[in-house]
Amino acid sequence: MERKTISVTGMSCNGCEQNVETALRNLDGVNRVEADHEADTVDVVLEDGVADDDVNAAIEQDGYDVVA
């Protein structure tokens, strides 16, 4: 298991947090996710082998930006 904190811009409310959380929960290997629009972060717990590109793509497909 791996825990990551991802910087994400574009979230402005609880609804945005829900959107990001739902998008990530739909990925195989995501065990826990918590978005915080005030801190512009998403905390995720991933199983080994989940690619960063897949996580970032799921966030970006919902219209938010991952900050490298």
Side-chain angles (χ1 to χ4, degrees), residues 1-2 28-29 31 45-51:
M1 297 271 197
E2 180 179 9
D28 288 336
N31 290 320
V45 177
L46 307 166
E47 293 179 11
D48 293 336
V50 177

Side-chain angles (χ1 to χ4, degrees), residues 7 10 15 18-21 23 27 31-32 37 40-42 47-49 53 57 59 61 66-67:
S7 295
Q18 296 271 338
N19 291 341
V20 170
E21 290 174 1
L27 285 178
N31 290 320
R32 190 179 78 76
H37 74 276
D40 290 331
T41 60
V42 178
E47 293 179 11
D48 293 336
D53 288 343
I59 294 168
Q61 285 175 355
V66 175
V67 180

